[in-house]
Amino acid sequence: VTLAAPEAPTVPALDFVFHPRAIAVAGASRREAMGFNGSMFVSALLEAGFDGPIFLIHPTVGALRGLKAYPRLTEIPDEVDYVISSVQAQFVPQLVEDCIAKGTVRVLHLFTAGFTETGHADRANMEQTVVARAVAAGIRVIGPNCMGLYAPSGRLAMATGQTMEAGPVAMLSQSGFNAQEVVRYGLPRGLRFSKVVSFGNGSDLKAADFFDYFADDPETRVITAYMEGIQDGPRLAGAIRRASATKPTVILKGGRTEAGSRAANSHTASLAGSSQVFDALCRQAGAIRVDSLEDLIDGAVAFQFIRHIAGPRIAFVGGGGGASVTGADALQAAGLELPDLLPDTAQQIAKITPIAGSSVSNPVDSSALFMDEAFEGTVRPCAEAANMDAIVFHMNFGGGAVARRYDVRKRQELIANTFGDLQRETGKPMVVAIRNPITPDSLEQTIQMQELLYHNGIASFASVERAARAIAMVLRRQKLLA
Amino acid sequence: VTLAAPEAPTVPALDFVFHPRAIAVAGASRREAMGFNGSMFVSALLEAGFDGPIFLIHPTVGALRGLKAYPRLTEIPDEVDYVISSVQAQFVPQLVEDCIAKGTVRVLHLFTAGFTETGHADRANMEQTVVARAVAAGIRVIGPNCMGLYAPSGRLAMATGQTMEAGPVAMLSQSGFNAQEVVRYGLPRGLRFSKVVSFGNGSDLKAADFFDYFADDPETRVITAYMEGIQDGPRLAGAIRRASATKPTVILKGGRTEAGSRAANSHTASLAGSSQVFDALCRQAGAIRVDSLEDLIDGAVAFQFIRHIAGPRIAFVGGGGGASVTGADALQAAGLELPDLLPDTAQQIAKITPIAGSSVSNPVDSSALFMDEAFEGTVRPCAEAANMDAIVFHMNFGGGAVARRYDVRKRQELIANTFGDLQRETGKPMVVAIRNPITPDSLEQTIQMQELLYHNGIASFASVERAARAIAMVLRRQKLLA
């Protein structure tokens, strides 16, 4: 018997975009880190440790921040395949000519704004002309009016503070702000990214291109998107369908209201299209449509950490009677269920639970959870119970007298390790909701806790309500695929 | 002409509950701050600076933490009008007998849990018996199973960290946890409280009593409530109606789902009643019903800071294209409107706004907002515009390169003082949304910013979405009263 050779991993067509070999930045300011200009990208790429050369294009100086500068792209002696433009819009036509003349440029990232989104016809014309000219010469354009790429495997970043530790989550975004927010808020929650692309007006490369790319990208397992406009509707619909068929796909569509739609037009020259049509498209494609950036991040966390959940039955555990009641409401309102504890589960927990101020039912609200030795004794029976598909545990730091009794680090490790073990042993998702910290100390503790949870493969959320909505997304996708 | 003497301010009947003269705490532990027992109340009252004597009841020691202790309440030589019980449930009957024998006790706060909420018939009987015995002797009971009072004018606190700076917001809560959360999260947002009462099972004093009291309380201008059960429905309905007729009233009802309802029963022995019936009651009474503690806090912030808003027309201002689009969506989804800028408004702003990367429409997304001199030049025309009823401004701290350009403190003061001035001059609410900080530094800056906003009378929220929902509550109440 001759076995077929394993198929070589396919490299998706746009892979070159995310793996440039030499970068030139036009428009870096002499004043380091003076805000919103090419210097940002220089800082980001240097911190990311981009492993090819970075050249600068500057009219007067010979070097900036240790990087060699040239007055024109065409004067750079090395091959350059990726150009970042932060010059003003009126200088872009010349830069495009230089890119073409250079002969080796494959991608032009136009951070430069001031084109169609201004609403001025002459500027819309200028955008169309320069992009058409570049594309005709075989150069792909990202933008204009965007932040470009964050891609750990290419050692690319669009801002400082973006880790080179890669993960399974991809994002395509018409807003650089929102792309950066998802990374900024996602990282402490344990989100790790394969590729993030901010593509602004999407004059050449657009949502459909990136959906296609992420669908084929072996580094990507979860796809998220922030879109403002519907460009090339039928092609986009097909791309979302293909992406969603193989990978969980979570989409936030800006411009779902008339006011938002006008804002989208001013922002990225986007025509928002009908929200109902887009809704139907997502539903048919099996993509999860969300209404806020918080939900987008939460969905990404859920899909990164929760590979599978057998059903909607949640054991809801934590201290605090009022929090138990409102949390139970939030879980059920999101479509989850809180079955009664089985007699055996209840017995095991009751043995170690004080009768006053605790409740051995579902939710489990027990002061035993605050005693080191009784913590696992309370949550293990819930995790092992035949009638539970997952645990949602709620907690916070800095909440008054009780918190001061503990060695915080020891307690953090106890919780993270116990849930890590239980998740591995039972295959059931363990999910932790940490209420928002409101002091610097408790924020530090929350960040530490989230990191420990991440290393144990545990999803964390900022409230039970948000955890509930995110778990419901995973269930919804499983149902759509079933 | 003889003018009638101004009416003396009425002192509501239950006022004595919130202004005790001497307190005895039964069940304080010898171990200071060792968690969930009478020591908490001792710490809280000492920090609050309660201005009468605090006695302890302790079987063996003569003094604890500088406070004189006696083996029995009846052995205290002074008059005591307020007793806090944190002894175990089986010792409560004797304590009640001692309260009666003492002759001066008017209020018994039963922190003690382990009564009806356990689901055991004998413990339910015990609760009924002891409370009936106390009430028959003229002693009012708060609880059992609750945290009692936070009341700055009485220098009472239920936990440490509760400021004695009073304000207009009252809260009644069946959950001590939720009462403390509202205070803990509310204080940095600028919420200030007249009275907060956690009354647990509500065996004697219950929601209706406190609605009645707050309706008449001259210190209270805004009423909030967290309830789990419907006790004495017709009386409660009347109390909510009376409260809401004179003061904005925001109610979170735990147990709106079947799972939450079961949890409420385990927590405070509450029978949740029909959520639909309660909804109808609130609607008829003109009370605002919310579904989460976040919304309750946000509603309180809105009603404390916004006395009046002329209509739903919002000028939405801030930096960040994506944030402008999703924020505009959130505002309109909450029922608010974003009218186009009047030509004159747009002209004034356009004069000082760079064309690239900014949008002079509504939302106003302008990099000029980050330039000190252009900040007021951008927001003032919006505040003064005849077609705008309020400004919502969005911002955050620690969000990348742009933030580093500024003297943060100077920028905080510029924003807070400018909006303070504009709110006073125009009478239109200025509202600030500060996205959640995720580093200790940016949390410090957020806390400082919230404090400056508070001192300028400006409401702040953690997101545009939450600001939108809160403003909508104010509009809803105005409509109900119109």
Side-chain angles (χ1 to χ4, degrees), chain B residues 48 91 119 121 150 158 177 196 255 290 320 332 363 382 413 448 453:
Chain B
F91 302 119
Y150 164 43
M158 65 176 74
F177 185 97
V196 176
V290 295
Q332 189 169 338
C382 296
E413 286 173 353
Q448 286 163 7
L453 291 168

Side-chain angles (χ1 to χ4, degrees), chain A residues 278-291:
Chain A
F278 190 74
D279 228 6
L281 189 164
C282 288
R283 220 177 18 253
Q284 285 159 16
I288 308 285
R289 186 174 178 187
V290 295
D291 278 342

Side-chain angles (χ1 to χ4, degrees), chain B residues 139-160:
Chain B
I139 298 169
R140 302 309 303 258
V141 178
I142 304 174
N145 185 23
C146 70
M147 296 298 294
L149 303 181
Y150 164 43
S153 66
R155 299 201 81 82
L156 299 172
M158 65 176 74
T160 53

Side-chain angles (χ1 to χ4, degrees), chain A residues 175 177 184-185 228 255-257 259-260 262 266-267 321-322 325 329 332 338 340 359 396 398 435-436 438-439 443, chain B residues 175 177 184-185 228 255-257 259-260 262 266-267 321-322 325 329 332 338 340 359 396 435-436 438-439 443:
Chain A
S175 158
F177 185 96
R184 213 162 68 82
Y185 282 93
E228 296 191 344
R256 66 188 157 103
T257 65
R262 272 189 290 120
S266 296
H267 177 221
V325 176
D329 278 336
Q332 188 170 340
L338 276 75
D340 278 328
S359 166
N396 68 308
R435 284 178 289 278
N436 264 331
I438 53 171
T439 64
L443 176 53
Chain B
S175 158
F177 185 97
R184 212 162 69 84
Y185 283 93
E228 296 190 346
R256 66 189 157 102
T257 65
R262 272 188 291 121
S266 296
H267 177 221
V325 176
D329 278 335
Q332 189 169 338
L338 276 77
D340 278 327
S359 166
N396 68 307
R435 284 178 289 279
N436 263 331
I438 53 170
T439 64
L443 176 55

Side-chain angles (χ1 to χ4, degrees), chain B residues 49-87:
Chain B
F50 176 68
D51 56 11
I54 304 168
F55 302 106
L56 305 182
I57 303 171
H58 195 284
T60 55
V61 303
L64 270 178
R65 306 172 66 182
L67 302 178
K68 182 87 180 115
Y70 298 85
R72 294 278 290 271
L73 174 64
T74 44
E75 293 176 37
I76 299 175
D78 295 56
E79 291 194 355
V80 169
D81 57 350
Y82 193 98
V83 174
I84 299 175
S85 163
S86 65
V87 298

Side-chain angles (χ1 to χ4, degrees), chain A residues 402-438:
Chain A
V402 175
R404 286 199 297 274
R405 290 170 69 178
Y406 300 98
D407 174 338
V408 171
R409 183 70 191 178
K410 202 177 131 200
R411 182 160 169 81
Q412 291 173 328
E413 286 173 355
L414 171 73
I415 294 170
N417 295 339
T418 303
F419 282 130
D421 290 345
L422 289 174
Q423 185 168 272
R424 277 183 293 276
E425 287 174 35
T426 64
K428 300 176 185 177
M430 303 287 126
V431 171
V432 176
I434 310 174
R435 284 178 289 278
N436 264 331
I438 53 171

